[in-house]
Amino acid sequence: MNQHMALILALGLAACGGKSSNAGPSAQSFVPLCPGAIELPDGSIPCRGDTCDGECEDPSGPISIGCAGTAYANCRFDDSCLDGGFCVLSEGPCPIAECVPPCTASSCAADQQCGADGKCAPAPCTSGYACAADQACHPTQPGADPHGCVPASCASDGFSCPTGSACKAAFGMDAHGCNVPRCDALSGSCPHNSRCDPSSATPDGCVRLSCSKDTDCDCGACVLGLCENQPFICVSQLE
């Protein structure tokens, strides 16, 4: 075979058998990651909603991990504990129910206090617990956490809104009341991977782009039919 024929054959095989680096749903994106994308942990497996050995989840949000249910329960009721102990759940993604002795003034976690019933309970913000810098102490307000803390309001708690938003507590979905103008307003706009739809019921009037492949997006990746900042991460489930 002469060199000319060999070259033609090689090109033909490449055309027929070559694969695009974006051929599969978890393949490398052809578009850059969006601003705000986070660095994935070493060894993590990116996914786009396709089958993986676990759940395909947003790496920027809370990662839920499957639990084994009753295998994590060492007790069910206080009556099953000896010496006046209590059956309580530990903290974490997979709580363990186990017997613990009655608490003392020094046995509870730093953000808890020992109650008269012998159980550790979240320390209230009205009794010395300090809420986070972006929170305020309002125990009776709906949505307050176990300590009585809520997101600080720009209207009543002195929270300062970031640049680009204004204090409009009755408008939009921001927990602090800081909301951006709607996209159809004079100074409004939409972030990457979304477009302005004045008829939309979203607070800013923007709707996320639908997609079937990464290149349908401004940046990031096409995940479950919507444009996201980056591919999601495959999280293994406990058995």
Side-chain angles (χ1 to χ4, degrees):
M1 181 184 299
N2 60 37
Q3 291 182 346
H4 181 69
M5 288 298 296
L7 177 60
I8 293 176
L9 179 59
L11 291 174
L13 289 174
C16 295
K19 294 184 179 180
S20 166
S21 61
N22 202 32
S26 288
Q28 179 66 34
S29 173
F30 281 133
V31 293
L33 299 184
C34 297
I38 66 172
E39 184 176 350
L40 297 181
D42 291 340
S44 59
I45 302 174
C47 58
R48 288 167 169 72
D50 51 318
T51 301
C52 68
D53 186 19
E55 295 293 330
C56 189
E57 302 194 29
D58 187 349
S60 64
I63 299 296
S64 61
I65 300 176
C67 299
T70 55
Y72 284 81
N74 297 323
C75 60
R76 295 187 62 188
F77 308 103
D78 290 345
D79 293 344
S80 60
C81 299
L82 303 176
D83 302 324
F86 304 103
C87 186
V88 299
L89 286 175
S90 62
E91 297 182 355
C94 291
I96 300 174
E98 56 188 355
C99 292
V100 298
C103 61
T104 65
S106 60
S107 65
C108 297
D111 63 343
Q112 297 181 328
Q113 64 182 19
C114 185
D117 59 357
K119 297 181 179 181
C120 293
C125 59
T126 53
S127 299
Y129 177 83
C131 296
D134 62 345
Q135 293 181 320
C137 182
H138 296 301
T140 59
Q141 185 170 314
D145 68 16
H147 300 286
C149 302
V150 298
S153 168
C154 62
S156 57
D157 297 316
F159 183 85
S160 297
C161 293
T163 303
S165 64
C167 186
K168 299 179 180 179
F171 167 80
M173 299 296 291
D174 182 74
H176 302 288
C178 301
N179 292 285
V180 297
R182 281 184 61 89
C183 61
D184 48 343
L186 181 62
S187 59
S189 62
C190 287
H192 45 254
N193 284 337
S194 61
R195 297 293 184 268
C196 187
D197 180 0
S199 65
S200 171
T202 59
D204 58 2
C206 300
V207 293
R208 188 170 290 276
L209 282 174
S210 298
C211 57
S212 59
K213 57 185 181 300
D214 292 344
T215 49
D216 293 334
C217 306
D218 299 331
C219 53
C222 182
V223 182
L224 296 171
L226 293 175
C227 292
E228 302 287 352
N229 280 357
Q230 63 188 93
F232 282 13
I233 186 173
C234 190
V235 179
S236 297
Q237 303 295 289
L238 298 178
E239 296 180 354

